[in-house]
């Protein structure tokens, strides 16, 4: 469930109001932003009471949650987060405190931003005095530029921080990239499952400078499929241009309201929770070569629900490729 749009105090909508959502009706609520603290630059919506829309949708989620006036807590899309983050501060928030004697785990999230970058760091305190650190660098538009993840003894954090701060800001002269040893990979066509060998081949040859178009010809797949696979392997930024834009119509169309019962006349399992057995069966059928249309019929759910679940469980096969190309 993501906050994907909001209306300001002047009645203007912001975010992605016409995004494709998976619910019959979006959730609604209000979010009151505090005024700007003394000495800080004002945000766009400081002190305003905003009308919020939230639902399950195919937009990319940020890593920041927002607490609505009624107490509900939801993640925001990157677009909405970039609009609200200069002004939003959780009410009554206190700085995180670390206690060596604490017996329970905790999580701390910190964010910084510059003119063209946003930096996010998450620290999860684990058992036995260890901490898992995840640092993400992205553009203001939310496109991930770099990620660093690792687990350390909590006592070593300060020394690691000193080492990182000592890294020269000017990189040394780089020698030419060595040629990748020739590899052979079985030619695969659109719909065939990706193999570990194919993943390795894609990584090596993309890093040597081959374009997605050139790799698409070698693999016998579409360029869209190659670009989504590069993103899934953390080799390329999120392909924003492949995500379908909001659908517009020349004239307003009356809103369509469906009940769960009406949806289940076409898709018997619509809105039912996924069980581990369902996910295992879905993954197996995908590997066996079933298409997205086949799985829609077999599992009694709509195409969006099947595609979203395939990506969530990292399935491999024709239907998973179709899901990547849909940009869900």
């Amino acid at each position: 469930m993501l906050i994907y749009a909001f209306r300001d105090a002047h009645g203007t909508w912001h975010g992605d109001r016409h995004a494709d959502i998976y619910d019959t009706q979006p959730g609604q609520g209000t979010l009151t932003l505090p005024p700007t603290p003394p000495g800080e630059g004002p945000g766009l919506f400081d002190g305003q009471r905003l009308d919020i829309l939230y639902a399950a949708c195919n937009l990319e989620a940020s890593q920041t949650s927002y607490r609505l006036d009624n107490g509900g807590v939801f993640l925001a899309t990157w677009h909405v987060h970039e609009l609200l983050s200069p002004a939003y501060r959780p009410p009554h928030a206190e700085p995180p405190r670390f206690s060596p004697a604490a017996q329970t785990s905790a999580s701390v999230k910190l964010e910084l931003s510059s003119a063209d970058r946003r930096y996010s760091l998450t620290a999860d305190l684990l058992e036995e005095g260890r901490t898992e650190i995840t640092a993400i660098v992205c553009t203001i538009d939310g496109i991930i530029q770099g990620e660093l993840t690792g687990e350390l003894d909590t006592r070593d954090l300060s020394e690691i921080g000193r080492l990182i701060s000592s890294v020269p800001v000017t990189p040394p002269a780089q020698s030419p990239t060595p040629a990748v040893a020739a590899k052979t990979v079985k030619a695969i066509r659109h719909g065939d499952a990706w193999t570990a060998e194919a993943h390795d081949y894609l990584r090596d040859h993309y890093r040597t400078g081959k374009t997605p178009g050139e790799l698409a010809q070698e693999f016998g797949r579409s360029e869209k499929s190659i670009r989504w696979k590069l993103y899934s392997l953390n080799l390329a930024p999120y392909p924003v241009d492949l995500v379908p834009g909001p659908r517009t119509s020349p004239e307003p169309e009356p809103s369509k309201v469906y009940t769960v019962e009406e949806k289940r006349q076409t898709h018997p399992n619509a809105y039912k929770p996924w069980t581990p057995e369902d996910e295992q069966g879905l993954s197996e059928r995908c590997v066996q070569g079933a298409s997205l249309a086949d799985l829609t019929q077999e599992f009694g759910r709509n195409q969006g629900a099947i595609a979203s679940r395939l990506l969530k469980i990292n399935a491999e096969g024709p239907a998973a490729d179709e899901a990547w190309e849909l940009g869900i």
Side-chain angles (χ1 to χ4, degrees), residues 180 183 185 194-207 219 233 235:
V180 177
K183 292 184 178 180
V185 59
W194 284 84
T195 64
E197 181 187 28
H199 283 170
D200 291 340
Y201 185 92
L202 184 65
R203 286 190 186 92
D204 293 341
H205 287 262
Y206 180 71
R207 287 168 176 164
F219 281 91
L233 296 174
L235 296 172

Side-chain angles (χ1 to χ4, degrees), residues 1-7 13-17 19 21 23 26-33 50-57 59-62 64-70 72-84 88:
M1 302 290 285
L2 302 177
I3 299 174
Y4 65 91
F6 64 91
R7 181 170 55 189
W13 283 96
H14 304 271
D16 301 283
R17 186 184 177 190
I21 63 175
D23 299 328
Q28 301 182 32
T30 59
L31 172 64
T32 302
L33 298 178
L50 309 176
D51 296 321
I52 298 294
L53 294 180
Y54 58 88
C57 58
L59 300 177
E60 185 180 9
S62 69
T64 300
S65 299
Y66 291 81
R67 183 181 297 277
L68 304 189
D69 294 345
N70 64 2
V73 178
F74 301 95
L75 288 171
T77 65
W78 271 110
H79 188 184
V80 169
H81 173 57
E82 294 302 330
L83 293 171
L84 298 183
Y88 180 76

Side-chain angles (χ1 to χ4, degrees), residues 2-327:
L2 302 177
I3 299 174
Y4 65 91
F6 64 91
R7 181 170 55 189
D8 64 23
H10 305 292
T12 302
W13 283 96
H14 304 271
D16 301 283
R17 186 184 177 190
H18 300 291
D20 291 332
I21 63 175
Y22 303 141
D23 299 328
T24 56
Q25 290 292 330
Q28 301 182 32
T30 59
L31 172 64
T32 302
L33 298 178
T36 305
E40 295 189 16
L44 296 175
F45 307 100
D46 287 17
Q48 293 190 26
R49 184 172 182 268
L50 309 176
D51 296 321
I52 298 294
L53 294 180
Y54 58 88
C57 58
N58 65 343
L59 300 177
E60 185 180 9
S62 69
Q63 296 191 357
T64 300
S65 299
Y66 291 81
R67 183 181 297 277
L68 304 189
D69 294 345
N70 64 2
V73 178
F74 301 95
L75 288 171
T77 65
W78 271 110
H79 188 184
V80 169
H81 173 57
E82 294 302 330
L83 293 171
L84 298 183
S85 58
Y88 180 76
R89 298 167 190 85
H92 311 299
E94 296 182 358
R97 299 177 180 177
F98 298 92
S99 172
Q103 297 299 316
T104 58
S105 62
S107 179
V108 176
K109 292 185 178 180
L110 304 173
E111 287 192 350
L112 294 173
S113 61
S114 64
D116 60 350
R117 288 287 188 272
R118 183 168 293 277
Y119 307 90
S120 172
L121 185 143
T122 302
D124 293 317
L125 305 185
L126 311 176
E127 297 180 355
E128 299 179 356
R130 298 188 66 78
T131 303
E132 184 176 34
I133 300 289
T134 300
I136 297 177
V137 181
C138 63
T139 65
I140 295 301
D141 296 329
I143 300 176
I144 295 178
Q145 300 295 302
E147 181 176 358
L148 180 66
T149 302
E151 184 179 317
L152 299 168
D153 189 304
T154 303
R155 295 170 297 181
D156 299 327
L157 288 176
S158 61
E159 298 302 321
I160 293 297
R162 290 176 58 190
L163 289 176
I164 293 176
S165 63
S166 300
V167 175
V169 294
T170 303
Q174 297 181 350
S175 58
T177 303
V180 177
K183 292 184 178 180
T184 58
V185 59
K186 181 182 178 181
I188 52 179
R189 302 183 307 277
H190 177 75
D192 289 348
W194 284 84
T195 64
E197 181 187 28
H199 283 170
D200 291 340
Y201 185 92
L202 184 65
R203 286 190 186 92
D204 293 341
H205 287 262
Y206 180 71
R207 287 168 176 164
T208 62
K210 286 194 175 182
T211 66
E214 292 171 336
L215 292 168
Q217 292 182 356
E218 292 188 26
F219 281 91
R221 295 178 180 266
S222 69
E223 185 173 341
K224 287 184 178 180
S225 175
I226 294 295
R227 291 183 61 192
W228 280 115
K229 180 57 66 174
L230 289 171
Y231 167 69
S232 72
L233 296 174
N234 296 320
L235 296 172
Y238 183 76
V240 178
D241 58 306
L242 298 184
V243 178
R247 292 175 294 181
T248 58
S249 57
E251 297 182 359
E253 297 181 357
S255 59
K256 298 179 181 179
V257 179
Y258 301 95
T259 65
V260 173
E261 290 73 19
E262 289 173 338
K263 284 286 188 180
R264 288 179 176 169
Q265 290 179 5
T266 305
H267 304 292
N269 294 321
Y271 305 110
K272 291 182 179 180
W274 286 87
T275 65
E277 292 76 16
D278 291 336
E279 293 183 342
Q280 178 65 28
L282 186 68
S283 177
E284 292 176 354
R285 290 289 295 122
C286 188
V287 171
Q288 291 168 4
S291 67
L292 200 56
D294 294 335
L295 298 178
T296 298
Q297 293 295 323
E298 294 176 21
F299 287 83
R301 299 176 187 267
N302 65 33
Q303 177 177 283
I306 294 294
S308 177
R309 186 59 50 165
L310 288 170
L311 300 184
K312 182 175 181 180
I313 63 177
N314 295 318
E316 294 284 352
D321 287 342
E322 291 182 65
W324 279 113
E325 293 191 11
L326 288 173

